[in-house]
Amino acid sequence: MPKMTKKYVKEVISQLSRDTFLFNELQGKLSGEYDVLKDIIFALLDESEPSISQVFDQEAKLIQFVRRDK
């Protein structure tokens, strides 16, 4: 399994079948530490042109991520 980097996480996100995903769903596609993935997700959200955004699903009452580009 490749080293968990921002670039690798972006590649995995781009290959997801849906534009919306949960942290746990992404974590299931990767092997690595929770904290490393969490830090990468925050870095992706903080980019000048973020490739993902974070939204609260009112119906499901949980936070989801939305892929902005594929």
Side-chain angles (χ1 to χ4, degrees), residues 1-63:
M1 187 63 83
K3 181 179 177 185
M4 193 180 318
T5 62
K6 197 163 116 174
K7 180 180 177 183
Y8 180 64
V9 172
K10 277 183 164 184
E11 287 176 22
V12 172
I13 290 171
S14 73
Q15 295 171 8
L16 294 174
S17 60
R18 298 177 310 152
D19 287 338
T20 60
F21 60 95
L22 301 173
F23 182 89
N24 292 344
E25 292 171 329
L26 181 59
Q27 188 178 26
K29 303 265 184 205
L30 300 161
S31 67
E33 295 181 31
Y34 170 90
D35 288 331
V36 173
L37 179 57
K38 179 186 69 152
D39 290 344
I40 290 172
I41 291 293
F42 281 121
L44 293 175
L45 290 167
D46 197 37
E47 292 177 321
S48 60
E49 293 185 33
S51 54
I52 62 171
S53 60
Q54 180 176 286
V55 296
F56 184 74
D57 183 329
Q58 295 282 353
E59 193 172 304
K61 298 188 185 323
L62 50 82
I63 293 173

